Amino acid sequence: MRVMQIHFWGDARNLTGSVEKVLSGFAEMAADDIELDIASCGNGEPQSSGKATYVFFQENRLINRVCNKWLGLHSFTYPSLIRLIEARHPDLIHLHNRQEIADEIIR
């Protein structure tokens, strides 16, 4: 089973606090039959670290802010995340602090 943990607030390799707790919790559950992907904003090729693989997507923060916060359009501005999900085919997706976009992702 492939589990994908998605973070929107920057590169998960550099985040601490609640994100670090969530990452360590998911890493602890990674057994031989579980592949753990940690997806976050960033660049580069996938990187393995222990039981997890860090994968990256791009976010256009300006378009996201203009469309969603200032204009209130509720627009989904993460097409690179959708491509990443389609490429990795996770069985389970966990969105860290962005549950409101779950419907957009699974469409």
Side-chain angles (χ1 to χ4, degrees), residues 2-4 37 84-93:
R2 182 180 298 275
V3 176
M4 182 177 280
D37 288 341
L84 179 63
I85 291 170
E86 289 172 349
R88 304 293 288 187
H89 299 291
D91 298 301
L92 174 67
I93 295 175

Side-chain angles (χ1 to χ4, degrees), residues 59-78:
E59 173 190 2
N60 188 320
R61 291 183 183 273
L62 178 60
I63 291 174
N64 186 44
R65 180 164 289 163
V66 169
C67 289
N68 298 317
K69 295 187 178 162
W70 294 336
L71 299 178
L73 298 179
H74 307 293
S75 173
F76 187 73
T77 57
Y78 303 97

Side-chain angles (χ1 to χ4, degrees), residues 45-65:
E45 296 297 316
Q47 297 178 0
S48 293
S49 175
K51 296 180 179 180
T53 300
Y54 288 90
V55 292
F56 307 99
F57 62 92
Q58 293 295 308
E59 173 190 2
N60 188 320
R61 291 183 183 273
L62 178 60
I63 291 174
N64 186 44
R65 180 164 289 163

Side-chain angles (χ1 to χ4, degrees), residues 8-54:
F8 294 92
W9 312 119
D11 189 332
R13 295 169 297 180
N14 303 322
L15 299 175
T16 59
S18 66
V19 172
E20 188 176 44
K21 291 176 187 172
V22 169
L23 291 178
S24 65
F26 271 86
E28 286 174 13
M29 77 172 216
D32 291 338
D33 59 342
I34 296 177
E35 297 177 51
L36 176 61
D37 288 341
I38 299 169
S40 63
C41 297
N43 293 312
E45 296 297 316
Q47 297 178 0
S48 293
S49 175
K51 296 180 179 180
T53 300
Y54 288 90

